[in-house]
């Protein structure tokens, strides 16, 4: 039997992972027709059909399933070997796909990735910016940035940053409705809630008090699946919103939004400090598939992003213009 060509194997693996022959062609820099011909030659060399094709779908045959499971790890090893050789020359290269949430992509990863690409021009970076869980295998993702509640079994998760959470309202809203002083007060306020695309649930509003996690009870007056849209509604005086610091910091520092439930002032004394409940911070993790085999370009991405986030202005407490705010109790 003739030894199958590497190009045919690549096209086959990428077609299965991407869900179409056209997707395989895009990843390999080929037309859909050229990718299809490479797979057809591979099937001829093997003497069997690997894929069932139709105009709308692609499915593995039994033989194709066996071949995919055996060959895919080998192709991954070859790709990583090429990457390691490039890394030895100081030239990380090839395709690199990263997934993250929409807000994190807009405010943190998108602005940062430009410098990363300038430092490593032979990398072809793709950002998948979506508020849902991504499928690493079928969407061919190398790494994803996830919040703690989005972690899933089977993926390696490395914590890379923590961001303060702010419960905010506009000065106009607080002038009309007053400022909540306790968690219980939130039930009497207009609250702007985020609905998670991954499971359709409303994002809870968690706090930490005396080392315990508690969730505030509230009734959403507005529910939205986009954080930036909620921030705009909050600016317009629609109510109180829960925002990550990378979204809220510029708005707080400009005085357009007022952060609620911050640390109690000194005059409150030890009793106030003990009763204080702090907003639970947002933990960020970079997730990938294999703990034992981390390609150099992935390791480089993780190390450089971790360093950048350690001193990122969007992940620090804001400089507040100053306004009297009662401690939470």
């Amino acid at each position: 039997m003739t030894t199958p060509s590497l190009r045919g194997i690549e096209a086959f693996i990428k077609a299965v992972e991407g869900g179409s022959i056209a997707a395989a062609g895009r990843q390999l820099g080929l037309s859909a027709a050229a990718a299809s011909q490479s797979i057809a030659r591979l099937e001829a060399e093997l003497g069997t059909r690997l894929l069932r094709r139709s105009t709308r779908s692609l499915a593995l045959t039994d033989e194709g399933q066996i071949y995919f499971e055996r060959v895919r790890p080998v192709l991954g090893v070859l790709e990583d070997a090429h990457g390691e050789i490039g890394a030895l020359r100081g030239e990380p290269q090839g395709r690199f796909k990263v997934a993250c949430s929409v807000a994190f992509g807009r405010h943190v990863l998108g602005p940062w990735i430009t410098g990363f690409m300038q430092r490593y021009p032979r990398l072809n970076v793709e950002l998948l910016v979506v508020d849902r869980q991504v499928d690493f295998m079928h969407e061919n993702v190398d790494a994803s940035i996830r919040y703690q509640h989005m972690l899933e079994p089977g993926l390696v998760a490395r914590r890379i940053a923590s961001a303060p959470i702010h419960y905010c309202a506009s000065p106009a809203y607080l002038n009309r409705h007053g400022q909540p002083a306790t968690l219980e007060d939130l039930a009497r306020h207009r609250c702007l809630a985020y609905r998670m695309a991954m499971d359709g649930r409303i994002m809870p509003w968690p706090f930490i008090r005396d080392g315990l996690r508690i969730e505030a009870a509230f009734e959403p007056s507005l529910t939205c699946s986009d954080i930036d849209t909620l921030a705009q509604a909050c600016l317009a005086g629609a109510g109180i919103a829960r925002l990550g610091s990378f979204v809220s910091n510029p708005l707080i520092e400009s005085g357009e939004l007022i952060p609620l439930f911050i640390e109690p002032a000194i005059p409150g004394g030890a009793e106030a400090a003990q009763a204080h409940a702090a907003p639970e911070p947002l933990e960020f993790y970079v997730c990938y598939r294999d703990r034992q085999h981390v390609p150099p370009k992935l390791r480089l991405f993780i190390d450089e992003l971790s360093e950048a986030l350690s001193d990122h202005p969007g992940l620090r407490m804001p400089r507040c213009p100053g306004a009297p705010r009662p401690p939470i109790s």
Side-chain angles (χ1 to χ4, degrees):
M1 183 179 69
T2 304
T3 302
S5 68
L6 180 59
R7 176 60 76 190
I9 295 172
E10 286 180 320
F12 167 66
I13 296 297
K14 301 302 183 186
V16 176
E17 291 179 336
S20 72
I21 292 175
R26 286 193 296 271
Q27 290 191 44
L28 298 173
L30 303 173
S31 67
S36 180
Q37 290 169 5
S38 295
I39 295 172
R41 284 194 293 270
L42 174 64
E43 291 176 324
E45 291 163 354
L46 294 173
T48 189
R49 178 65 63 88
L50 300 175
L51 296 171
R52 298 188 186 93
R53 306 165 178 82
S54 73
T55 56
R56 292 175 176 264
S57 65
L58 197 68
L60 286 165
T61 63
D62 292 342
E63 294 85 354
Q65 182 67 46
I66 294 171
Y67 195 72
F68 176 77
E69 292 174 356
R70 296 294 183 89
V71 175
R72 184 174 181 271
V74 177
L75 182 60
V77 170
L78 288 173
E79 290 178 341
D80 294 343
H82 293 161
E84 289 178 12
I85 291 172
L88 290 174
R89 299 198 306 267
E91 300 178 55
Q93 55 193 290
R95 187 202 64 85
F96 187 70
K97 189 172 183 179
V98 185
C100 69
S101 71
V102 174
F104 189 83
R106 286 175 182 164
H107 297 276
V108 181
L109 190 59
W112 174 82
I113 203 74
T114 301
F116 183 74
M117 294 169 62
Q118 290 172 346
R119 289 189 295 276
Y120 308 108
R122 300 190 67 180
L123 279 177
N124 299 315
V125 179
E126 179 179 351
L127 293 183
L128 179 59
V129 182
V130 290
D131 284 328
R132 61 170 174 80
Q133 208 79 291
V134 299
D135 188 313
F136 266 69
M137 187 181 79
H138 290 101
E139 297 184 78
N140 206 24
V141 171
D142 294 290
S144 70
I145 311 301
R146 302 189 178 192
Y147 309 132
Q148 188 170 21
H149 67 268
M150 295 178 68
L151 300 181
E152 61 178 294
L155 292 178
V156 181
R158 172 178 160 183
R159 183 184 176 279
I160 56 172
S162 177
I165 283 290
H166 298 122
Y167 294 86
C168 303
S170 70
Y173 174 84
L174 295 177
N175 286 337
R176 291 196 308 271
H177 299 279
Q179 182 165 314
T182 68
L183 291 184
E184 290 71 25
D185 287 346
L186 287 172
R188 297 186 288 275
H189 276 265
R190 299 182 67 80
C191 297
L192 315 180
Y194 173 70
R195 187 179 296 281
M196 297 181 285
M198 58 180 290
D199 57 15
R201 293 187 300 116
I202 297 293
M203 177 76 77
W205 286 14
F207 291 79
I208 303 297
R209 176 189 283 157
D210 294 332
L212 299 177
R213 184 180 189 271
I214 54 177
E215 293 185 1
F218 66 97
E219 186 68 30
S221 59
L222 172 66
T223 303
C224 182
S225 60
D226 178 70
I227 289 293
D228 286 288
T229 302
L230 283 180
Q232 292 301 311
C234 189
L235 282 169
I240 298 171
R242 176 185 182 272
L243 303 173
S245 58
F246 49 93
V247 176
S248 61
N249 275 6
L251 305 174
I252 292 171
E253 292 177 356
S254 68
E256 295 174 271
L257 290 181
I258 304 297
L260 311 172
F261 310 139
I262 62 171
E263 290 290 342
I266 296 297
E271 184 177 350
Q274 185 175 8
H276 177 71
E280 183 183 55
L282 201 56
E283 305 289 341
F284 292 98
Y285 293 78
V286 60
C287 301
Y288 50 97
R289 282 180 283 193
D290 191 348
R291 185 184 303 276
Q292 305 301 322
H293 190 69
V294 183
K297 57 189 174 185
L298 174 57
R299 190 180 305 116
L300 188 70
F301 171 79
I302 295 172
D303 291 344
E304 294 206 6
L305 180 60
S306 299
E307 182 177 357
L309 296 185
S310 68
D311 194 37
H312 193 287
L315 305 184
R316 298 197 297 257
M317 292 298 292
R319 297 182 296 274
C320 301
R325 302 178 190 101
I328 189 170
S329 60

